[in-house]
Amino acid sequence: MSSATPTPQLVDVVHVDDDGQTENVISDGSSKRGSTRKLRSIVWDHFEKKIINGEQKAVCNHCNSKLVSRQNDGTKHLHDHMKSCFMKKQKDINHYMTKLNTVKDDKGHSKVESFVFDQDVTRKTIARAIVKHEYPLSIVDHEGFREILSSFNPMWKHVSQNTIKKEILDLYENEKAKNLNALASNQSRLAITTDMWTADTQTKGYMAVTGHFIDDSWTLRSLVLRFQHVKGSHTGLKLCDTLFNCLMDLHLEHKVSSVTVDNCSANDRMMEYLLIKLNKDDLILRGQLFHIRCCAHILNLIVKEGMTVISDGIAKIRESVVFWTGSCKRKEKFEEFASRSNVKYDKQLVLDCPTRWNSIYLMISSALQYKNIFLRLKDIDGQYKCCPSEEDWQFAIILEENLKSFYDVTELFSGTKYPTTNVFLQHVCEIKLSLQDWLLSPCDRIQHMAQLMLLKFDKYWQDMSGILGVACIFDPRYKKKFIEYYFSMVYGGVKELYVGKVVILCRELVEEYQLKFSPTVYCFDYTVVADELDSYLDEKVIPRMEDFNILSWWKTNANRYSTLARIARDILAIPITTVAFESAFSTGGRVVSPHRNKLHPSTLEALMCCQSWLRAYNSSLKSEGISQFATFLEEEQEEQDEQEVPEYPFYSPPMFLTRFAIYLLPTLTTWDKPGLVKTIAYIRQPTTLA
């Protein structure tokens, strides 16, 4: 059978002037006006003849490349260009590349539409993944990573670190503008926490400034506002200037409700200077609730004060843990003996650390679990001569019971998703009551430890009781009765005095808010102040429920108690801790991750802030393990099978899985990252994963 011959075509020659203006001048394939010629080559389906600056060119319809096209040049060079034209390749495979559109028709069926790969979208998606999951910027230069992206789609053009850095900075500016507009339009105040971070390999310090607020939908939000490099010594004046400039740059100096900091002397000086610089009329009660001390650090100081008198009592336990964790051979022997003794070895022996008080609790807790193993090994191993006595074990049992309450409360104070302020008063009061019980302990060491810890507790209790008491009043499950119950045990016969101080503080808040937000209603009549607050306090407390959402309750009752709802919205957003769980027990502070501590301060700030902003409104970001990724692939496979999408010819599932496994083997948790999943989902839209 003879091959088909292309249909001859008439080609218009377009004249292009020096100024870029075009004009159709002839209707043939030659440069002579008025003459026509039939063009038989298939290349003229993809090229258009134009006269540019007096010279005849063949312009590619796909990529706009301009090739010579004189009468005697032939078409071989045009055929060669067609084989290598990037834009033509992309259009040629469009019929292979399909995706399920998220828009559904009236019958609920998903529509299938053609998909065109976009380099810019993929680059932005990779930038977001780097920001979210703290991948190094150099990942775009890794050979394995490039192979992965190329296996998804050969159209992908690799980018450099500088390109991806620019993409991240653009993302930072866009997200910054978006979040500043949201903060400016939000009706509530902003509570600030600030903490210093350090870089391991540098002598640089960074001030992290975080804003906490309840938005207009009554959802508690937390955003990193700045991650500012602090040059020079970190004096109180220097820290004050840095924080004040941050607030001024973000136009938030009139919306601040409080600043929560840890308990170092430099922060105390910073807060004194900051109160002088800010307008007190913009603060709650002219700054009475402005300085909030971090309760997690206070607990840390309290426990460390008591640890100074018990080191001798746990010396034998510490020596035993050091002995059996000192070498791999001894660890194996300890585990083997535990297995032979039918003791489940599900908790590793933990050695305490001088800068982390909780490590003492963890060391004692793990050692007590294997008490009998230590006693048996004493008779078997002649080198083991530091086995604790029965008196040491009894002291360890008492100490573990007493420290557990501190450990549990510190975990609560240091959660990454902190609860609202109303839940903390109960736990702080229970710590006070526990310390009072320790004074009655038959063990002299426990009594001495309790005395020292109570002195430290009382030093900071007055600073904590005000904000914790007010927040408790605004919990409809507790109100005054809850405070009266715990204050009666803490203060005894003088409880009414301290309960009265909390109630007066609430009345002053109502008076200030009504004067500021409802001046026509206030009318300078104190009875107006009393009406709304007394009506709320006289109303019966609601039943306690485990899943009670205090923000939803105030959102529902905002019309009944308009002034109280405004106060609750500002008070309940105030955090009483500045630290995350991993640094709650440590005096070492926060540390910048190894992948980021060598970056320029401006780039580091963009990464840290942007990560917080991207995660703030993405509740699904927390990974649920590798099964999440597998479920994603299975669901997508089922949807594509139903649509019978043609397989993309350039993609090989076994090749992808092999390269992906080799590249990510050292860090298998990468599979859990939604940012990576989204990158994969976009770049290999039409393909089918094995």
Side-chain angles (χ1 to χ4, degrees), residues 417-439:
K417 289 187 176 180
Y418 67 91
T420 46
T421 318
N422 56 297
V423 304
F424 293 107
L425 180 66
Q426 172 185 356
H427 301 286
V428 174
C429 289
E430 287 176 352
I431 286 178
K432 169 80 171 181
L433 298 176
S434 296
L435 293 176
Q436 292 176 347
D437 291 339
W438 294 6
L439 293 174

Side-chain angles (χ1 to χ4, degrees), residues 83-125:
K83 295 177 183 178
S84 60
C85 180
F86 173 82
M87 296 303 296
K88 179 181 179 299
K89 281 185 177 181
Q90 177 170 318
K91 292 181 180 179
D92 285 346
I93 64 173
N94 277 346
H95 65 284
Y96 291 112
M97 306 182 71
T98 58
K99 68 174 183 178
L100 289 180
N101 193 349
T102 54
V103 179
K104 296 185 177 181
D105 57 22
D106 297 337
K107 297 181 179 180
H109 298 148
S110 298
K111 297 180 180 179
V112 179
E113 62 181 21
S114 63
F115 169 79
V116 178
F117 173 72
D118 192 328
Q119 175 87 8
D120 294 338
V121 174
T122 304
R123 189 171 60 247
K124 294 178 186 297
T125 307

Side-chain angles (χ1 to χ4, degrees), residues 361 364 368 396-406 438:
Y361 168 78
I364 296 172
L368 286 173
I397 292 173
I398 297 173
L399 188 60
E400 184 202 24
E401 293 174 353
N402 292 335
L403 288 180
K404 188 177 187 306
S405 59
F406 281 86
W438 294 6

Side-chain angles (χ1 to χ4, degrees), residues 552-609:
S552 297
W553 190 92
W554 277 109
K555 179 181 180 180
T556 304
N557 292 272
N559 292 331
R560 295 174 57 202
Y561 306 112
S562 57
T563 303
L564 295 183
R566 280 185 174 272
I567 300 173
R569 190 171 168 183
D570 292 340
I571 294 296
L572 295 177
I574 296 177
I576 65 167
T577 179
T578 65
V579 296
F581 173 73
E582 63 271 12
S583 59
F585 307 98
S586 176
T587 58
R590 295 190 175 190
V591 179
V592 180
S593 66
H595 289 155
R596 296 185 170 185
N597 59 20
K598 291 184 179 180
L599 296 174
H600 189 274
S602 61
T603 306
L604 181 58
E605 179 175 12
L607 288 168
M608 300 296 285
C609 293

